[in-house]
Structures are given as structure tokens and as C-alpha cells.
Amino acid sequence: MAMGQHAYKNEVLDPLRRVLSEQLVLDLNHVADGPLLAMAKRIPGGYIHRRPFLRDAKWIFKKRLANLTQDGAAIADHLPWYAAALQAERSRLLEHLDEFAAVVGGPRAALLCVLWNEQAEQKDAALPAEMPARLAALAKPQPGKPEAKAWKTLHTKLVGPAGKEEPVASGDVLDSADRTLRRLQQEIAQGKAARENEGRQLRRQHANELEAKEAEVRQSREAAAQQAQEAAQQRAGLEGQLQALQARLAKEEEEVARLRGELERARAQVAKQAREIAEELLAEEVRPWLADARMLKSASEEVAKLRQLTAETVEKVRKAQRDADPFLAKEHELRQAIPQMEEMLKLLRRYQRTAGQVLPEVIGLEQRITEHVEKVRYELERRDQPSDPFLERISAKINVADNRELKSIESALLLAEQSGLVDSRHADLYRRDIHRRRSYLADRDFHVQRQSGPLALLERAAATGERARLAVDANNFACLRQDYLGLHLSSKRNPQGENRFVLDAAARQKVVHLLEKLADDATGLHVWACFDGQPTQLKVTNPRLKVTFSRAGGKADHDLMDLVAKDKTVEAPWFVVSDDIEVRDATGREGAYIIYNDALVQLLVNRGLRP
């Protein structure tokens, strides 16, 4: 901070720098642009352009705490309360200093004391050092000008009334030459002091800039050395990683070569064993055994007679029987060959998953072995069925029964199982045959009797207004006929690991809107739409359309089956729309007509109904 000979100590002025600087910035509002631009030449960085300097003047002077005295002196001549007070005598200023602080503000009075001591030529003319701190504490910085009347009164007290000159004592009259000489000496001294101060400021500025440059160079050198060290460390690490990768690559190449050799040996072994198994399966001795079931019946009777024997005796008899009976021997060999073929299938499938290029021979061999294993398993399972005449008649009856007869056969099988006449395992085998027969009949009725089947009955009911009830598996219909409905459903994985489509509220509303159109078009039709998942708010306007949602933890399929099963009335036939075989079988047993999703779409298209 550039200060005069009698300036305050830094430790006295430092706590006041911010308050005095804030008052200085507020006083800049009362200084014209011309003096501010003149001050721009003293600002480090050269703010010589008018608009940038005037725009940033407050921010610039608020940051220049170190140049407080110099900046204050630059604007003092352009503010009347500073210029008049600096021209007053010291005695008058001290006499009216408190009044001055009350009129212009404490921080302005403190700043005036700093400027006064800066211009003081002698030590006796300086103001006390504790006075700025006392004055600065009287009030906060003031942005406005002093009150005009109070300032005029104070100005009169400081410099006297305008136009009135105080009488000069005769002893103080000096010769004009002496006064001129003294004034010139004073100006020379002031110019010399200003040049010295300016030189000291320039030297300090250059020293600070040089020190900053040296610090930057030193930091740059340290950063360069650190980067070089890091680059060396990184290069060493990369070289180590490269060596490790090369060693690992060599090991992997050795492992690949070993696995290729093992694969070739395994392929040869699999081909050899596959040929042997195929020859054994196609042997002439096996075919008569597969076609002859009576030998298995006699063998089962023989085993029943020997139940009282010990395990060792039974094993000996079984071995002897196998040796004597070629059919049983072949059956035993086939049962032992099935696990071996399964292991070979696992090996072949593992080769197909891991090999880079699978040979066509491996794929064909895997398919042939799979077909043979399934065929042998099926025949052995058929041989395990009891030879009871009752069950044999059931088996023969299932293959030619219709839906009504299948229902009777299923009831008879259930009663025989409950009474202990039939083992549960054997009953399950015949239930699977019944299930396959129902599926066959449903598919045949759909393709062969399309014109006179359930679709034709539903179309007639819709056209004539007859009473009919339509139950729709809504999730099944929406997911399988997204193309017709114009949907693009997202999918997610369920707890069982299967991907299932997600039916949101918009998709549900679209299905409901389409079924409402059908209900509006067919006046005698009552429609039930069953959805999976949590209930959502859907807009339903037709009273003959009801929307239900599955119970917690359940599926809409079960609700649909319960709806048809519990309604025993015959006032109107039931039509069930679903491609789910479980729903079709369960509702078909209750007398409902089965309508496929494609058939429902055909009905809607024929009636001109669009989503």
C-alpha cells in the first residue's frame, strides 16, 4: 500500500481495509466517468477501454485492498466532502470531526483520516492513529450523498463562508518570490516522492511477477519429472503384463492342442459305440421282442409266484430266466444301454456347445440316438403297464372314444384307483392317453368341423341375437394375437426362469374396448374377460361385459375354469376362447364350446369389428 511518511501502521489499518474499501466502492457512484477513466491507467492490467472498465469498476476497486490510499486520493478531488475537508485546517478538522462523521458517515470520516495523513508533510500535522478505527465503528458504509443542508452547515464550519477571506497577520506576509520558491520546492519534493513511490511499486510488482514466473517454471519442471516417472512405471507395468499375456497365450495354445486331440479320440470312440448300439437296436432279435407283449406277461406271473423267495434266490432265478429267454435278456441289455446312450448324448451335446465348428456327422448321430432312446423308453414304459383285462379294455377304448366316452372312462378310472383295484402309477399312464385323445379330438373338430362347429354356432348367435355366454382368456388372446390388436408387449422373466409378456393398462383397455364392440353388435351375448395380475382401473360402458382379475397367487385360467364349472344352468351355451390346452380340456369336460383365438379373430373380421 502506497502511503506517506506519516501513514498509519499496517497492523492498525489492516482490520479496516474491507470497510474502507466498501465505502470507496460506494463513493464511485458519485464520481463522473471521466475521472474513473483517468484512474484506469493506474490499474494493473491496463483497463483503458471505456465500457469494460466502467462496467467492472466496482468489482475492480473492491478487490484492490492493497491500493486503498491511492484509489481514495484519486477520487477525493471529485467528491466535495473529501475535497473540502482536506483543504481545512487541522484544528478545525479535529474540532468538527465527530460532526463530520455524523453528517457523511463513520467509514467516510475514517477514510478522510487516512487521506489526510497521506498528504501530511510533517509529523505534527498527522491525525492520531486510533481515530480511523473509532470513526469506522460509528456506522456502516453509506451509499448516498450527505444531506445537503447539514453538509452546507458543516462546510461553513470547516472552510468558512464562501467569498469571505480571513485576515492575514502582517507578520505572516511573505514576499511573492519567497512564496513562489517555496511552492516550487514543495512541488519538486512531492514529485520526487511520487516518483520514488512509483519506482518502489514497479520494483515490487516486477519482483512479484518474477517470483510467480519462477514458481510456475518450478511447478512445470516438477510436473514434467513426475509425468516421466509415471510413464516409466506404466511402461514397466505394461511390459510385465505383455510377458504374462504371452506366457498365458502359450499355455492356452498347448491346452487347445490337447483338447483337439482329446476331441478327435472322443469322436472316434463315440462313432464306434454309436455304430455298435445302432446295430444292436436294429438286430433281428430285438424286433420280435418289441412286438411281443405276452412274454412280458408270463415273466410278470413268474415273478409274482416267486415273491416268497429271498433276494438271492430271486436274483438267481431272474438271471437264469434271462439266460433262457432271449427276450428278457434283450430287455435287460436295453435297460442297461439307455444310461450309456444318455451319457453319449450328453457328450455329443457338450461338443456341439463348445466346438468352434460342429461336424454334420455329430449332429446326425445325436438325432438318431435321441430317436432310438425315446422309442425304446416308450416301448419299455408300455411293457411296464399291467396286463389286467380291465385296464387293457380301457386302453383299447381310449383310442376310439369321443369326448363324452372319455369323461366316463376317466370317472371309472378314478373309482378303480380309489377302491384299490388299480395302482396310481398305472392310472396316471392312462390319464395321459386320455389327455392326448382329447387334444386330438379338439384339433380335429377345429379343422374338420369348422363350418358346423362352435364358431358357426357363435356366429349364428351373434347374428340372430340369441342368448350366449362368451368367456375370453384375455391374456392368452392379447399375447398370441398382438399383430391383430396392434400391440408391442414387453417381456420379463418369471421366478421359473421363463420369459412372459407383460400386459399393461393400455393393452388391457384395448382388449376391453374390442370386446365391448362385440357385445354392442351381438345383443344377446354376455361376455366375461379374465385377466392375469393385479386389478387396474378399466373403463367399461356395456353392462353385458364383465372384467375379472386373477386372485393373489393364482391365474386367470383357473378363474375361467371355475366360472364355467360352477354355472350349471342351461339357459345359454358357454363359448370359451383360449389356445391353452389345459383351459380347453377343463372347460370342454364341462360342456363348453371351445373357440380358438384365430376363430375369434375371424368372427370379429367377418362382422367388421376392428381394434
Side-chain angles (χ1 to χ4, degrees), residues 446 450 455 458 470-485 511 514-515 518 530 557 560 575-581 583-584 593-605:
F446 173 71
R450 178 176 298 180
L455 178 59
L458 182 60
L470 179 66
V472 181
D473 188 355
N475 275 65
N476 185 269
F477 177 68
C479 295
L480 295 182
R481 294 313 308 261
Q482 296 184 44
D483 53 345
Y484 174 73
L485 295 172
V511 175
L514 181 62
L515 295 179
L518 179 60
C530 300
D557 300 348
L560 198 66
F575 294 88
V576 178
V577 179
S578 178
D579 281 3
D580 193 326
I581 189 171
V583 176
R584 299 201 317 259
Y593 294 102
I594 307 302
I595 301 293
Y596 286 76
N597 292 327
D598 294 340
L600 179 61
V601 172
Q602 180 181 350
L603 172 65
L604 296 172
V605 172

Side-chain angles (χ1 to χ4, degrees), residues 197-227:
N197 291 335
E198 185 176 358
R200 283 195 298 271
Q201 289 181 0
L202 290 175
R203 286 195 297 272
R204 281 198 299 268
Q205 183 178 358
H206 292 164
N208 293 335
E209 292 178 356
L210 181 60
E211 184 178 358
K213 293 294 184 181
E214 290 178 354
E216 291 179 359
V217 172
R218 185 166 57 253
Q219 291 178 357
S220 300
R221 290 179 179 176
E222 293 176 356
Q226 185 177 2
Q227 290 178 359

Side-chain angles (χ1 to χ4, degrees), residues 29-56:
N29 296 326
H30 310 297
V31 180
D33 293 347
L36 285 178
L37 290 176
M39 292 170 62
K41 298 180 180 180
R42 305 179 186 178
I43 305 302
Y47 290 89
I48 59 176
H49 299 288
R50 176 181 181 83
R51 288 188 178 178
F53 178 76
L54 294 178
R55 182 188 62 217
D56 302 332

Side-chain angles (χ1 to χ4, degrees), residues 88-157:
E89 295 181 357
R90 181 177 182 273
S91 59
R92 286 191 178 186
L93 181 63
L94 289 175
E95 180 182 356
H96 302 287
L97 190 58
D98 293 336
E99 186 179 355
F100 182 83
V103 174
V104 302
R108 281 176 176 158
L111 187 60
L112 174 65
C113 294
V114 175
L115 298 175
W116 181 278
N117 285 2
E118 175 67 18
Q119 297 180 5
E121 299 178 359
Q122 297 179 2
K123 186 175 182 180
D124 296 339
L127 299 177
E130 68 277 3
M131 194 166 291
R134 180 175 64 83
L135 295 173
L138 294 178
K140 296 181 179 179
Q142 299 184 6
K145 294 182 179 181
E147 199 273 327
K149 186 175 180 180
W151 167 246
K152 185 175 181 180
T153 304
L154 179 61
H155 183 271
T156 303
K157 294 179 180 180

Side-chain angles (χ1 to χ4, degrees), residues 296-313:
L296 292 177
K297 180 179 179 181
S298 62
S300 63
E301 293 176 354
E302 182 67 18
V303 171
K305 294 177 182 179
L306 296 177
R307 285 181 180 177
Q308 303 299 327
L309 299 179
T310 61
E312 296 180 357
T313 306

